[in-house]
Amino acid sequence: MTTIVLVHGWGYDASLWDAVRARLPAGLAVASIDFGYFGAVLPAPTFAEPVIAVGHSLGALWWLTQGEIPWRRLLSINGFPRFTETADYAPAVAPRLLARMQTQFRRDPAAVLADFHARCGGHAPSGTPDIERLAAGLDWLADWDGRATLAARRADVFALAGARDPIVPAAMSTMAFGEVKTIDTINAGGHLLPITHPDLCARWIERLAA
């Protein structure tokens, strides 16, 4: 049986997927990876065959830039193959904005986290933040680039984006992935689709696992 592996984004933990997991059929094999931003690290396990990869935000970039776990298909949710803008990758996040966030995080990590969670809609994990791991995650956002993998495997990559995502604007998602299933309901899709639209996320995961 193909395993579904869920990877969360920066500033969150594996509990991001709780509502999605609750909506997946009991017969599906589901695993999570946790970067340890708010508790113990849940490392990447070993699988007998390629998995269905699911990544939220930074989690999608992680899938596109690592080779530990082979995957059959990738579902990016509020994700990106690169976070910061370059001459041939725009619109995206200006490098100076991320650099400013990194500087502010070194000075006052609690304030930066609170502001980030507020921008995302007020949802925040419980537990004590691991400042070193969170700082390393910001470095990943600055340095990692998964565009080569995306170009090589575009037919295997699917993307969901929030039409009113304040972290990854819809224009950035469309530029990065091309055809994107954009979520725009009465409540408007933001940056936390696994929390705000778990039914839709679960249906897409089932579809890719079928």
Side-chain angles (χ1 to χ4, degrees), residues 76-101:
S76 166
I77 303 176
N78 301 113
F80 37 83
R82 178 183 174 87
F83 189 59
T84 56
E85 190 171 86
T86 66
D88 61 347
Y89 184 77
V93 175
R96 60 180 174 77
L97 295 181
L98 180 57
R100 183 186 306 163
M101 182 178 180

Side-chain angles (χ1 to χ4, degrees), residues 57-74:
S57 193
L58 171 62
L61 177 60
W62 182 87
W63 280 113
L64 289 169
T65 54
Q66 63 81 48
E68 294 179 56
I69 309 175
W71 46 271
R72 264 198 313 129
R73 299 187 183 98
L74 167 63

Side-chain angles (χ1 to χ4, degrees), residues 4-197:
I4 297 157
V5 183
L6 310 169
V7 181
H8 64 84
W10 189 85
Y12 288 89
D13 60 13
S15 68
L16 174 89
W17 302 106
D18 286 352
V20 175
R21 294 186 72 143
R23 287 161 171 79
L24 292 172
L28 287 178
V30 184
S32 296
I33 293 171
D34 197 309
F35 294 134
Y37 294 153
F38 294 90
V41 174
L42 192 60
T46 300
F47 299 97
E49 62 179 14
V51 303
I52 299 299
V54 183
H56 173 255
S57 193
L58 171 62
L61 177 60
W62 182 87
W63 280 113
L64 289 169
T65 54
Q66 63 81 48
E68 294 179 56
I69 309 175
W71 46 271
R72 264 198 313 129
R73 299 187 183 98
L74 167 63
L75 177 62
S76 166
I77 303 176
N78 301 113
F80 37 83
R82 178 183 174 87
F83 189 59
T84 56
E85 190 171 86
T86 66
D88 61 347
Y89 184 77
V93 175
R96 60 180 174 77
L97 295 181
L98 180 57
R100 183 186 306 163
M101 182 178 180
Q102 290 175 293
T103 299
Q104 293 172 339
F105 188 79
R106 288 191 292 269
R107 294 173 180 168
D108 192 347
V112 171
L113 267 178
D115 178 68
F116 178 74
H117 290 142
R119 290 181 65 202
C120 289
H123 301 277
S126 60
T128 303
D130 187 308
I131 304 306
E132 289 186 6
R133 289 177 182 149
L134 284 159
L138 291 177
D139 290 340
W140 296 352
L141 288 170
D143 299 335
W144 285 1
D145 191 327
R147 286 179 291 170
T149 302
L150 175 61
R153 301 198 56 186
R154 186 170 292 275
D156 300 321
V157 178
F158 302 81
L160 301 180
R164 300 190 182 183
D165 187 334
I167 309 300
V168 185
M172 175 177 168
S173 298
T174 302
M175 176 275 298
F177 292 105
E179 183 178 350
V180 179
K181 175 63 177 177
T182 302
I183 313 306
D184 190 5
T185 64
I186 294 175
N187 295 321
H191 189 63
L192 298 178
L193 296 182
I195 292 176
T196 61
H197 294 72

